Amino acid sequence: MPRSNDPSGTGIRDVDMKLEVVVVPVTDVDRAKEFYGRLGWRLDQTPPGIVQFTPQGSGCSVQFGPDLTTGAPGSAKNYLVVTDVEAARAALVAAGVDVGGVYHPGPDGPVDGPDPERRSYFSRASFQDPDGNTWLLQEITTRLPGRIDTGVTSFTSANDLTAALRRAADAHGEHEKRTGKADPDWPDWYAAYMVAEQTGADLPT
């Protein structure tokens, strides 16, 4: 069966589509520019009429401008993935951003505080820009299976790599306690652990 009408034979699953930009509707561009700059995000070079910021460690940027969208200001909701939601919240508060408390979902609704088991995807906090657009901080250290290609793992910032190395070191310490001996092949163990975290595979023990 033909995979596509393209004579090259390229199917839709063969085409990489990387999310590049999210457009946020705002009423006052200068006010929004001041706010997103306060977050420490990088201000990118853009054509006139477009303001673009890129969060540190992110491959996707945020744009706003007077004629970029007909969406209602305050209607956007986006997620920001962090490796430590409490540390991220503290840094934002120190930068003058009003951030809600850390919480996790419970059977009867949100519960104050991070997830007791610190499971990925559960610990959260949120804040809004001056127009009311919502940003949800979500703590993720181990991905669900299939989220990331097992052949393409990477770290987008030194901070993410450092945090992953610390988690691997802690886990490897427990591994050596269980085995009762030092592991001379610890670099291999670290690598396997860090790749498994990113791809959602079973973590080594």
Side-chain angles (χ1 to χ4, degrees):
M1 177 181 293
R3 299 180 67 185
S4 73
N5 293 325
D6 186 338
S8 69
T10 300
I12 189 63
R13 292 184 181 273
D14 299 315
V15 180
D16 287 345
M17 298 182 185
K18 300 177 178 66
L19 184 61
E20 182 78 5
V21 171
V22 172
V23 177
V24 175
V26 303
T27 53
D28 187 322
V29 173
D30 290 335
R31 183 179 66 175
K33 187 175 180 180
E34 186 280 329
F35 175 81
Y36 286 101
R38 199 161 8 116
L39 300 183
W41 296 2
R42 185 187 71 231
L43 178 61
D44 298 328
Q45 184 174 350
T46 57
I50 299 174
V51 178
Q52 177 172 302
F53 283 93
T54 301
Q56 49 273 30
S58 176
C60 182
S61 302
V62 175
Q63 282 186 358
F64 49 86
D67 301 309
L68 293 186
T69 177
T70 58
S75 62
K77 181 176 182 178
N78 300 297
Y79 284 65
L80 294 167
V81 171
V82 296
T83 56
D84 186 328
V85 70
E86 291 180 306
R89 180 185 181 278
L92 286 166
V93 170
V97 180
D98 184 12
V99 188
V102 175
Y103 68 94
H104 64 278
D108 299 316
V111 179
D112 289 343
D115 177 63
E117 300 174 40
R118 228 43 194 263
R119 293 170 293 177
S120 283
Y121 299 94
F122 281 76
S123 300
R124 305 165 185 174
S126 65
F127 64 94
Q128 294 182 329
D129 72 5
D131 285 285
N133 296 301
T134 299
W135 293 92
L136 181 70
L137 300 173
Q138 187 175 46
E139 183 177 280
I140 300 177
T141 54
T142 302
R143 291 286 186 178
L144 292 172
R147 175 65 174 78
I148 294 178
D149 187 342
T150 55
V152 185
T153 57
S154 64
F155 293 92
T156 55
S157 72
N159 288 337
D160 273 356
L161 178 56
T162 298
L165 283 166
R166 292 187 187 280
R167 292 192 300 271
D170 290 342
H172 188 260
E174 295 301 316
H175 163 73
E176 289 186 322
K177 288 179 183 178
R178 286 190 293 271
T179 60
K181 58 183 180 180
D183 177 15
D185 296 322
W186 64 266
D188 295 335
W189 200 97
Y190 273 40
Y193 187 94
M194 292 163 68
V195 169
E197 262 199 342
Q198 281 206 350
T199 60
D202 292 336
L203 296 174
T205 58

